[in-house]
Amino acid sequence: MRKWTRVGFQPNLPLEEKRRVTECKEHIRLSKEAAKEGMVLLKNEKKLLPLAEGTRLALFGKGSFDYVKGGGGSGDVAVSYVHNLYDGFKMQGNAVMLYEPLAEFYRENVQEQYRQGAMPGMTIEPELPKGLADGAKAFADVAIVVISRFSSEGWDRSSLDSQLSEMSREELEDNYMAKLIAKAFPEGDYFLTENEKAMLNMVKERFNRIAVVLNVGGIVDVSWIKNDDRISAALLGWQGGMEGGLAMAELLLGKGNPSGKLTDTFAASLDDYPSTENFHESCDYVNYTEDIYVGYRYFETIPGAKEKVIYPFGYGLSYTDFRVHTDSVWETSKHIFAEVHVTNTGNMAGKEVVQLYFNGPQGLLGNPALRLAAFEKTRLLQPGETQVVYLSFEKADMASYDDLGKIQKSAYILEKGIYRFYIGISVRDTEEAAYTFELTENIIVKQLSAHLVPTSLKERMLSDGTFEMLPQYECNDMNECAFEKLKTEEEDCIVPEVRWCSRRKWFDNCGRKQFIDVAEGKLSLDEFMAQLSDKELLHLLGGQPNTGVANTFGLGNLPEYGVPSVMTADGPAGLRLNIGCTVNTTAWPCATLLACTWNPALVWQVGKAGAKEVKENNLAVWLTPAVNIHRNPMCGRNFEYYSEDPLIAGKMGAAMVKGIQSQHIAASVKHFTANNKETNRKNSDSRVSERALREIYLKGFEIIVKEAQPWTIMSSYNAVNGHRTSESYELLTDILRGEWGFQGMVTTDWWTCGEHYKEIKAGNDLKMATGYPERVKKAMEMGLLGRQELEQSARRVLELILKID
Ligand code: BGC
């Protein structure tokens, strides 16, 4: 097939495919298998799970019907069906018996709430009639209580009212979705509602065999599970995609063995997360005062924090037992290696995740007590079977970033002292290895330059829980522009026309050099670009209108030169198409669940399968993966992100990118960077130290760039230390390209408030969803940027198109 024929023919005409892959059986099966592998068994006492064949079950909670397959916004897709937990059990034939009157009650209630406009996960827990609870008790041996939650981009999860500043309260009043969720969850959706508590109490009064199932996209209160002996088992089912309910039912029945491990720390209370205190302090900024002490780095290090943990990072039970034995740890000049033997000592086949943490010297910089350095999941081990697992990482990866010059300014340093290694199956369940690595001198691993220096962050946390003051610099160019600033984000934006031309016209080009000749090696890109006017170059630097099934706009679109209009699509839940086109696609489990598989090879498969759907629908850029850090449970988009830990985010993101790009589809890694809050997301300033940026908020992106070379990166809406990320030369040129060697194209997030000419100057090549050519032209007339800068960005846009089939 001639190059780019595919992207020129939308909507989905599956070219050269023997059969359709979009939402095909194989993909749905993969979605279910991934869902099963990332669900985390939190508790299993009295051997309640797996449920015995023939168990009589009562499903409590509207969540047994109101299944939330994933969050909302760009991380949502249209599917043919969604299986809830009730469906999942019904699909098991006679394996279990369900108390139908109770099911009938919830089914009708949920349907009625949907009819009245409620969205999945935003329904209200109905009052449970006493008669039904008594009937369930008479019928069933085991009660399963289902709790579900929903969140989305553009708003944060609901906090307790007392945590909101006056400003945040006003912002919430303006946000329709935030208002809805606050209404449905007046106590904050992190906690059980009064109705849920009442339902749970009625169950506890009647049953002594209770399992809880959580259908959530982010961290919720689990103290009521951990601390109550009447609740014997709990499965954290996350938001598992279209087959999530079926995946949960199969795991509960022992058709598969849970092997998911937490990629976040579950603390006793929302207030235990150090970032909660100022999360809603302001709509204009967020002070990252906890610094590098995010997630387990905080809980394992800061005095008094350990006790606050309910379920630690890396934790997850199995129906079988494993013996994990470290055979040896050794070093070469650059690396640390470990050989670990894992034996399944129980009665059921299962997988285990070996996790390697290190503890470095506190030194002058101060460090987290433990940091994850490597991990490896075993294959499915039969009872009695052993697998030898090898883990390795670079010594340099243990270095800390010195942003204040305590040893050497702007350098990654391995401080002198002893490095210890802990190997096990969660951050809390490890054994210290006999081997230690010792340094008698500090080693400068890499000398960098100061970038993105904080301007308004006054203090940051140290490893003993005290705070140090940070030097202050006066600088904030968030709203600076050489001429009159845009009043609203969409004002002045010119949506270009669809410049579609017939196939015949592709070749009737009035002597213009054609782009296909560049693709076929007959013409250099330089020669091709030399013929383009400034106007045409500018055209390439802005998004192009939707065609066919697309709803997130495209790029290219210069048909007279044979430059196709290639379309983008969201990510990360699956392929998100224009809802009106009625094409359904596979809904994958949410990203947090995928991360909890700790299985990059599986994530690679999901990336590959998802990209096949993108390709079949003749789209070209998939706006995924999203790899922001879970800084605080309240962030409305955490379900789209992987973890509180940058190594997990980086490894999973890299696997996803490789899977996607194996299909010649561009992955767009987003949102670069420190986009950890949704409220006022386009104008909120993330104030964060250079060290926390380097070690936490940039690290995942750095791993992905170095391991997977994504074809595109999406800068974020927010500012970092007073500079919009899309306008930040330091971020996009100095760090991303200069330090990490990124070869691809940078796009803005959609309808950012950044000034287009400043974005081009910073190295943000494409402005989505459309550009502002008139404003850039004006800037050129004022001598603020020149043709060379346009060429540089246009070249990257064209190079991206050259990579696509
Ligand atoms: C989101 C991005 C998304 C884009 C296109 C934005 O609102 O932040 O993640 O890819 O829209 O839908």
Side-chain angles (χ1 to χ4, degrees):
M1 193 191 326
R2 195 172 167 89
K3 198 167 171 73
W4 302 320
T5 307
R6 186 184 302 283
V7 290
F9 284 88
Q10 286 190 70
N12 58 337
L13 249 182
L15 303 179
E16 267 192 5
E17 297 284 355
K18 290 189 190 68
R19 60 197 166 80
R20 288 180 52 80
V21 294
T22 303
E23 216 196 28
C24 65
K25 273 197 202 124
E26 289 79 4
H27 287 187
I28 293 176
R29 197 173 308 128
L30 178 62
S31 174
K32 187 183 83 177
E33 288 314 314
K36 282 167 78 174
E37 191 152 335
M39 292 181 177
V40 182
L41 184 62
L42 295 176
K43 186 172 183 180
N44 194 14
E45 282 159 15
K46 301 181 203 152
K47 292 240 176 287
L48 181 65
L49 300 177
L51 297 168
E53 182 91 19
T55 302
R56 296 158 78 91
L57 281 179
L59 304 186
F60 288 93
K62 51 97 183 174
S64 50
F65 280 87
D66 182 25
Y67 185 72
V68 183
K69 70 177 191 307
S74 47
D76 186 21
V77 296
V79 283
S80 307
Y81 66 87
V82 171
H83 280 141
N84 58 36
L85 186 61
Y86 174 84
D87 299 335
F89 278 122
K90 287 307 265 186
M91 291 165 79
Q92 306 307 314
N94 296 327
V96 284
M97 278 174 285
L98 296 171
Y99 183 54
E100 295 293 346
L102 189 61
E104 198 51 36
F105 166 73
Y106 285 120
R107 181 190 295 111
E108 277 177 12
N109 181 280
V110 166
Q111 276 171 4
E112 181 52 31
Q113 293 197 53
Y114 285 170
R115 266 196 295 277
Q116 287 178 15
M119 294 167 64
M122 301 280 263
T123 55
I124 292 171
E125 185 64 41
E127 239 174 74
L128 175 62
K130 186 173 170 302
L132 270 181
D134 291 339
K137 179 186 176 195
F139 172 87
D141 321 314
V142 174
I144 296 189
V145 175
V146 192
I147 302 294
S148 59
R149 291 289 183 269
F150 170 80
S151 68
S152 173
E153 71 171 300
W155 45 282
D156 288 303
R157 289 176 56 197
S158 67
S159 288
L160 287 173
D161 199 51
S162 58
Q163 284 166 346
L164 296 174
S165 66
E166 197 47 48
M167 201 189 213
S168 306
R169 199 167 288 123
E170 279 168 24
E171 174 84 15
L172 193 143
E173 277 302 307
D174 284 349
N175 189 313
Y176 174 72
M177 289 300 289
K179 245 170 41 188
L180 269 190
I181 194 163
K183 201 166 149 221
F185 300 95
E187 301 84 4
D189 77 330
Y190 183 86
F191 304 98
L192 291 183
T193 63
E194 289 306 318
N195 281 5
E196 285 169 339
K197 282 185 206 158
M199 176 267 291
L200 184 68
N201 283 336
M202 288 175 78
V203 176
K204 287 197 286 198
E205 280 159 15
R206 289 167 177 78
F207 286 84
N208 55 20
R209 302 182 78 208
I210 304 172
V212 170
V213 169
L214 297 172
N215 167 210
V216 297
I219 299 177
V220 289
D221 179 22
V222 287
S223 54
W224 56 277
I225 296 174
K226 174 78 187 276
N227 303 331
D228 194 332
D229 290 342
R230 286 165 298 178
I231 298 173
S232 303
L235 179 70
L236 175 55
W238 295 117
Q239 294 168 342
M242 61 197 295
E243 291 280 32
L246 176 58
M248 293 194 301
E250 290 189 2
L251 279 183
L252 293 168
L253 278 166
K255 286 189 176 178
N257 191 348
S259 65
K261 307 279 173 177
L262 297 179
T263 55
D264 292 298
T265 309
F266 279 58
S269 134
L270 181 54
D271 292 334
D272 291 337
Y273 297 90
S275 47
T276 299
E277 198 182 335
N278 61 18
F279 189 81
H280 279 301
E281 180 180 300
S282 166
C283 290
D284 294 340
Y285 61 84
V286 187
N287 287 327
Y288 287 41
T289 40
E290 74 289 347
D291 209 50
I292 54 170
Y293 299 100
V294 179
Y296 71 88
R297 284 168 168 75
Y298 169 82
F299 290 106
E300 301 305 312
T301 311
I302 304 299
K306 252 193 169 140
E307 296 71 59
K308 298 174 179 171
V309 174
I310 295 258
Y311 293 114
F313 179 84
Y315 169 87
L317 300 173
S318 165
Y319 294 150
T320 189
D321 297 311
F322 293 96
R323 190 176 56 240
V324 176
H325 165 74
T326 303
D327 180 83
S328 50
V329 179
W330 71 97
E331 66 179 89
T332 59
S333 59
K334 275 183 112 178
H335 292 88
I336 307 280
F337 288 90
E339 179 183 321
V340 183
H341 295 208
V342 184
T343 306
N344 183 345
T345 56
N347 302 320
M348 188 174 176
K351 297 182 182 180
E352 184 53 286
V353 178
V354 182
Q355 304 164 34
L356 193 163
Y357 299 86
F358 74 93
N359 162 281
Q362 276 302 323
L364 287 175
L365 301 179
N367 280 304
L370 291 171
R371 278 179 274 175
L372 182 69
F375 62 90
E376 197 69 46
K377 192 164 200 172
T378 66
R379 61 175 182 267
L380 187 72
L381 294 178
Q382 298 303 322
E385 192 180 351
T386 297
Q387 181 180 344
V388 180
V389 169
Y390 294 96
L391 300 110
S392 70
F393 60 96
E394 283 192 30
K395 289 174 186 169
D397 293 344
M398 298 191 291
S400 310
Y401 188 77
D402 182 4
D403 50 2
L404 294 187
K406 291 179 182 172
I407 300 171
Q408 182 151 319
K409 194 163 169 18
S410 310
Y412 268 110
I413 300 168
L414 276 173
E415 279 197 82
K416 64 182 173 202
I418 299 179
Y419 291 74
R420 298 188 163 80
F421 303 93
Y422 298 84
I423 297 175
I425 54 170
S426 87
V427 74
R428 286 282 169 90
D429 192 352
T430 57
E431 276 191 6
E432 188 178 344
Y435 162 88
T436 55
F437 168 67
E438 199 168 340
L439 285 176
T440 51
E441 295 295 330
N442 292 330
I443 295 183
I444 310 296
V445 164
K446 197 176 281 169
Q447 180 63 55
L448 300 168
S449 311
H451 288 311
L452 302 166
V453 179
T455 50
S456 316
L457 182 69
K458 296 205 165 43
E459 56 175 14
R460 66 155 167 217
M461 191 181 281
L462 296 172
S463 61
D464 62 0
T466 61
F467 289 83
E468 76 178 341
M469 301 307 286
L470 292 171
Q472 300 298 298
Y473 307 89
E474 218 20 76
C475 167
N476 184 324
D477 74 353
M478 232 168 107
N479 293 313
E480 261 174 34
C481 175
F483 40 88
E484 207 195 333
K485 186 77 195 137
L486 286 181
K487 288 191 191 68
T488 68
E489 60 197 74
E490 285 170 37
E491 206 173 292
D492 277 7
C493 110
I494 299 165
V495 183
E497 82 279 22
V498 184
R499 294 154 61 95
W500 196 85
C501 64
S502 72
R503 196 163 166 70
R504 194 189 60 79
K505 216 171 157 201
W506 276 50
F507 304 103
D508 170 16
N509 50 42
C510 310
R512 292 184 185 97
K513 293 181 184 130
Q514 293 295 294
F515 195 41
I516 190 75
D517 290 337
V518 181
E520 291 176 355
K522 298 176 195 152
L523 182 73
S524 75
L525 188 52
D526 283 341
E527 282 173 276
F528 175 78
M529 287 181 66
Q531 66 181 333
L532 300 181
S533 65
D534 287 359
K535 192 172 170 209
E536 285 160 340
L537 288 177
L538 256 174
H539 174 89
L540 290 172
L541 304 190
Q544 302 299 319
N546 286 317
T547 59
V549 291
N551 72 344
T552 50
F553 293 63
L555 53 141
N557 188 25
L558 276 181
E560 57 274 41
Y561 295 95
V563 177
S565 187
V566 301
M567 289 294 124
T568 68
D570 277 306
L575 168 60
R576 181 173 167 85
L577 301 176
N578 184 334
I579 204 93
C581 79
T582 72
V583 176
N584 294 319
T585 61
T586 307
W588 305 98
C590 73
T592 310
L593 183 153
L594 289 179
C596 287
T597 65
W598 294 62
N599 185 346
L602 182 61
V603 172
W604 184 93
Q605 281 185 47
V606 171
K608 180 180 171 195
K612 280 188 165 198
E613 300 197 9
V614 175
K615 189 167 184 171
E616 181 171 77
N617 289 281
N618 300 333
L619 303 153
V621 183
W622 198 18
L623 307 173
T624 195
V627 301
N628 296 91
I629 293 293
H630 292 164
R631 173 177 177 262
N632 185 272
M634 286 298 97
C635 173
R637 276 190 109 162
N638 278 353
F639 69 96
E640 289 187 70
Y641 306 148
Y642 293 119
S643 172
E644 67 186 24
D645 178 77
L647 183 77
I648 295 277
K651 293 286 177 188
M652 294 302 167
M656 181 62 87
V657 169
K658 286 186 199 163
I660 294 169
Q661 295 187 172
S662 72
Q663 298 307 298
H664 293 252
I665 292 296
S668 187
V669 183
K670 63 191 189 182
H671 310 88
F672 191 52
T673 184
N675 185 180
N676 307 100
K677 184 182 171 188
E678 288 300 287
T679 311
N680 193 26
R681 60 184 175 162
K682 291 187 180 173
N683 282 301
S684 178
D685 183 20
S686 300
R687 300 168 170 180
V688 52
S689 80
E690 275 183 86
R691 179 171 182 190
L693 273 172
R694 295 279 184 182
E695 294 186 20
I696 308 288
Y697 299 100
L698 291 174
K699 190 52 87 184
F701 290 96
E702 182 180 356
I703 293 171
I704 297 171
V705 168
K706 290 182 176 166
E707 287 191 9
Q709 270 297 345
W711 296 351
T712 76
I713 289 217
M714 187 192 296
S715 53
S716 53
Y717 283 133
N718 56 289
V720 172
N721 293 328
H723 305 272
R724 293 185 186 284
T725 60
S726 60
E727 295 177 352
S728 172
Y729 187 89
E730 294 188 18
L731 180 68
L732 305 179
T733 299
D734 289 333
I735 295 179
L736 178 64
R737 295 193 165 96
E739 287 180 18
W740 303 347
F742 176 64
Q743 304 287 320
M745 181 205 82
V746 177
T747 171
T748 63
D749 199 343
W750 272 227
W751 314 109
T752 45
C753 299
E755 182 61 48
H756 196 172
Y757 83 87
K758 288 169 78 183
E759 293 178 333
I760 298 169
K761 284 186 90 63
N764 195 119
D765 309 303
L766 179 69
K767 188 162 184 71
M768 292 301 279
T770 67
Y772 293 71
E774 290 310 315
R775 293 182 70 83
V776 182
K777 219 172 105 202
K778 189 164 165 190
M780 288 181 84
E781 284 158 12
M782 292 169 76
L784 294 166
L785 87 163
R787 178 172 166 102
Q788 206 194 342
E789 283 155 307
L790 301 191
E791 274 178 355
Q792 176 168 270
S793 283
R795 170 183 298 278
R796 295 187 188 125
V797 171
L798 292 173
E799 279 170 349
L800 172 73
I801 298 174
L802 286 170
K803 291 176 188 157
I804 291 159
D805 279 347

